[in-house]
mmCIF file of all heavy atoms in Angstrom:
data_model
loop_
_atom_site.group_PDB
_atom_site.id
_atom_site.type_symbol
_atom_site.label_atom_id
_atom_site.label_comp_id
_atom_site.label_asym_id
_atom_site.label_seq_id
_atom_site.Cartn_x
_atom_site.Cartn_y
_atom_site.Cartn_z
ATOM 1 N N ASP A 19 13.220 -11.527 -10.391
ATOM 2 C CA ASP A 19 12.634 -10.720 -11.465
ATOM 3 C C ASP A 19 11.370 -10.067 -10.942
ATOM 4 O O ASP A 19 10.411 -10.761 -10.580
ATOM 5 C CB ASP A 19 12.326 -11.596 -12.680
ATOM 6 C CG ASP A 19 13.596 -12.025 -13.406
ATOM 7 O OD1 ASP A 19 14.526 -12.512 -12.733
ATOM 8 O OD2 ASP A 19 13.656 -11.879 -14.638
ATOM 9 N N ASN A 24 0.175 -0.624 -10.859
ATOM 10 C CA ASN A 24 -0.775 0.104 -10.026
ATOM 11 C C ASN A 24 -1.836 -0.901 -9.599
ATOM 12 O O ASN A 24 -2.484 -1.529 -10.441
ATOM 13 C CB ASN A 24 -1.379 1.245 -10.855
ATOM 14 C CG ASN A 24 -2.488 1.984 -10.123
ATOM 15 O OD1 ASN A 24 -3.031 1.525 -9.131
ATOM 16 N ND2 ASN A 24 -2.827 3.160 -10.640
ATOM 17 N N ARG A 31 1.912 0.357 -15.300
ATOM 18 C CA ARG A 31 2.875 -0.618 -14.797
ATOM 19 C C ARG A 31 4.289 -0.095 -14.998
ATOM 20 O O ARG A 31 4.499 0.912 -15.691
ATOM 21 C CB ARG A 31 2.673 -1.958 -15.509
ATOM 22 C CG ARG A 31 2.868 -1.882 -17.011
ATOM 23 C CD ARG A 31 2.319 -3.133 -17.680
ATOM 24 N NE ARG A 31 2.851 -3.298 -19.029
ATOM 25 C CZ ARG A 31 2.501 -4.280 -19.843
ATOM 26 N NH1 ARG A 31 1.616 -5.184 -19.462
ATOM 27 N NH2 ARG A 31 3.038 -4.368 -21.045
ATOM 28 N N LEU A 51 11.311 3.773 -9.537
ATOM 29 C CA LEU A 51 10.832 2.917 -10.618
ATOM 30 C C LEU A 51 9.566 3.563 -11.172
ATOM 31 O O LEU A 51 8.553 3.659 -10.479
ATOM 32 C CB LEU A 51 10.570 1.493 -10.100
ATOM 33 C CG LEU A 51 11.770 0.837 -9.392
ATOM 34 C CD1 LEU A 51 11.423 -0.610 -9.014
ATOM 35 C CD2 LEU A 51 13.038 0.882 -10.248
ATOM 36 N N LEU A 61 6.344 4.692 -9.202
ATOM 37 C CA LEU A 61 5.528 3.704 -8.490
ATOM 38 C C LEU A 61 6.117 3.447 -7.109
ATOM 39 O O LEU A 61 5.383 3.320 -6.127
ATOM 40 C CB LEU A 61 5.501 2.386 -9.279
ATOM 41 C CG LEU A 61 4.865 2.443 -10.657
ATOM 42 C CD1 LEU A 61 5.159 1.164 -11.432
ATOM 43 C CD2 LEU A 61 3.362 2.651 -10.534
ATOM 44 N N ALA A 66 16.867 1.624 0.247
ATOM 45 C CA ALA A 66 18.024 0.967 0.869
ATOM 46 C C ALA A 66 18.489 -0.163 -0.032
ATOM 47 O O ALA A 66 17.670 -0.835 -0.684
ATOM 48 C CB ALA A 66 17.677 0.420 2.251
ATOM 49 N N LEU A 84 18.901 -3.714 -17.918
ATOM 50 C CA LEU A 84 19.264 -3.955 -19.322
ATOM 51 C C LEU A 84 18.529 -5.165 -19.894
ATOM 52 O O LEU A 84 18.094 -5.154 -21.043
ATOM 53 C CB LEU A 84 20.772 -4.197 -19.446
ATOM 54 C CG LEU A 84 21.698 -3.025 -19.157
ATOM 55 C CD1 LEU A 84 23.136 -3.505 -19.048
ATOM 56 C CD2 LEU A 84 21.553 -1.972 -20.240
ATOM 57 N N PRO A 90 9.673 -19.051 -21.547
ATOM 58 C CA PRO A 90 9.645 -20.385 -22.167
ATOM 59 C C PRO A 90 9.754 -20.341 -23.685
ATOM 60 O O PRO A 90 10.149 -21.331 -24.300
ATOM 61 C CB PRO A 90 8.285 -20.938 -21.728
ATOM 62 C CG PRO A 90 7.436 -19.731 -21.501
ATOM 63 C CD PRO A 90 8.375 -18.678 -20.966
ATOM 64 N N ASP A 125 8.642 -5.980 -18.871
ATOM 65 C CA ASP A 125 10.077 -5.978 -18.620
ATOM 66 C C ASP A 125 10.332 -5.698 -17.139
ATOM 67 O O ASP A 125 9.705 -4.822 -16.542
ATOM 68 C CB ASP A 125 10.783 -4.950 -19.508
ATOM 69 C CG ASP A 125 10.973 -5.478 -20.931
ATOM 70 O OD1 ASP A 125 10.819 -6.698 -21.136
ATOM 71 O OD2 ASP A 125 11.271 -4.674 -21.824
ATOM 72 N N GLN A 131 20.958 -8.994 -9.578
ATOM 73 C CA GLN A 131 21.560 -9.505 -10.819
ATOM 74 C C GLN A 131 22.596 -8.513 -11.348
ATOM 75 O O GLN A 131 22.288 -7.330 -11.528
ATOM 76 C CB GLN A 131 20.488 -9.762 -11.878
ATOM 77 C CG GLN A 131 21.071 -10.303 -13.178
ATOM 78 C CD GLN A 131 20.014 -10.873 -14.099
ATOM 79 O OE1 GLN A 131 18.991 -11.364 -13.634
ATOM 80 N NE2 GLN A 131 20.224 -10.813 -15.391
ATOM 81 N N ASP A 136 29.492 -5.350 -22.982
ATOM 82 C CA ASP A 136 30.926 -5.346 -23.255
ATOM 83 C C ASP A 136 31.274 -4.080 -24.034
ATOM 84 O O ASP A 136 30.466 -3.592 -24.843
ATOM 85 C CB ASP A 136 31.347 -6.629 -23.984
ATOM 86 C CG ASP A 136 31.278 -6.493 -25.490
ATOM 87 O OD1 ASP A 136 32.121 -5.789 -26.052
ATOM 88 O OD2 ASP A 136 30.359 -7.065 -26.087
ATOM 89 N N LYS A 151 23.877 -13.776 2.180
ATOM 90 C CA LYS A 151 22.718 -14.040 3.024
ATOM 91 C C LYS A 151 22.369 -12.784 3.820
ATOM 92 O O LYS A 151 23.233 -12.218 4.511
ATOM 93 C CB LYS A 151 23.034 -15.203 3.975
ATOM 94 C CG LYS A 151 21.889 -15.603 4.868
ATOM 95 C CD LYS A 151 22.241 -16.824 5.696
ATOM 96 C CE LYS A 151 21.075 -17.196 6.614
ATOM 97 N NZ LYS A 151 21.342 -18.426 7.375
ATOM 98 N N GLY A 152 21.154 -12.341 3.699
ATOM 99 C CA GLY A 152 20.703 -11.162 4.438
ATOM 100 C C GLY A 152 20.764 -9.871 3.646
ATOM 101 O O GLY A 152 20.205 -8.860 4.087
ATOM 102 N N LEU A 155 17.198 -5.285 -0.883
ATOM 103 C CA LEU A 155 16.838 -4.074 -1.624
ATOM 104 C C LEU A 155 15.470 -3.660 -1.108
ATOM 105 O O LEU A 155 14.554 -4.483 -1.065
ATOM 106 C CB LEU A 155 16.789 -4.355 -3.126
ATOM 107 C CG LEU A 155 16.438 -3.167 -4.023
ATOM 108 C CD1 LEU A 155 17.549 -2.116 -3.997
ATOM 109 C CD2 LEU A 155 16.205 -3.630 -5.462
ATOM 110 N N GLY A 173 18.964 -19.216 -10.796
ATOM 111 C CA GLY A 173 19.556 -19.177 -9.458
ATOM 112 C C GLY A 173 20.425 -17.960 -9.231
ATOM 113 O O GLY A 173 19.974 -16.823 -9.369
ATOM 114 N N ARG A 212 2.297 13.014 0.075
ATOM 115 C CA ARG A 212 1.162 12.578 -0.739
ATOM 116 C C ARG A 212 1.667 11.776 -1.921
ATOM 117 O O ARG A 212 2.773 12.023 -2.424
ATOM 118 C CB ARG A 212 0.357 13.786 -1.247
ATOM 119 C CG ARG A 212 -0.360 14.530 -0.136
ATOM 120 C CD ARG A 212 -0.877 15.862 -0.610
ATOM 121 N NE ARG A 212 -1.858 15.732 -1.697
ATOM 122 C CZ ARG A 212 -2.327 16.762 -2.374
ATOM 123 N NH1 ARG A 212 -1.889 17.983 -2.102
ATOM 124 N NH2 ARG A 212 -3.213 16.576 -3.330
ATOM 125 N N ASP A 224 -4.139 15.958 -30.404
ATOM 126 C CA ASP A 224 -4.217 17.251 -31.076
ATOM 127 C C ASP A 224 -3.092 17.409 -32.091
ATOM 128 O O ASP A 224 -1.968 16.981 -31.853
ATOM 129 C CB ASP A 224 -4.080 18.389 -30.058
ATOM 130 C CG ASP A 224 -5.349 18.558 -29.243
ATOM 131 O OD1 ASP A 224 -6.341 17.893 -29.583
ATOM 132 O OD2 ASP A 224 -5.321 19.337 -28.275
#
Side-chain angles (χ1 to χ4, degrees):
D19 288 49
N24 174 344
R31 60 194 198 182
L51 305 184
L61 297 168
L84 292 169
D125 281 345
Q131 180 166 330
D136 90 72
K151 182 175 179 176
L155 181 67
R212 292 167 62 188
D224 285 352

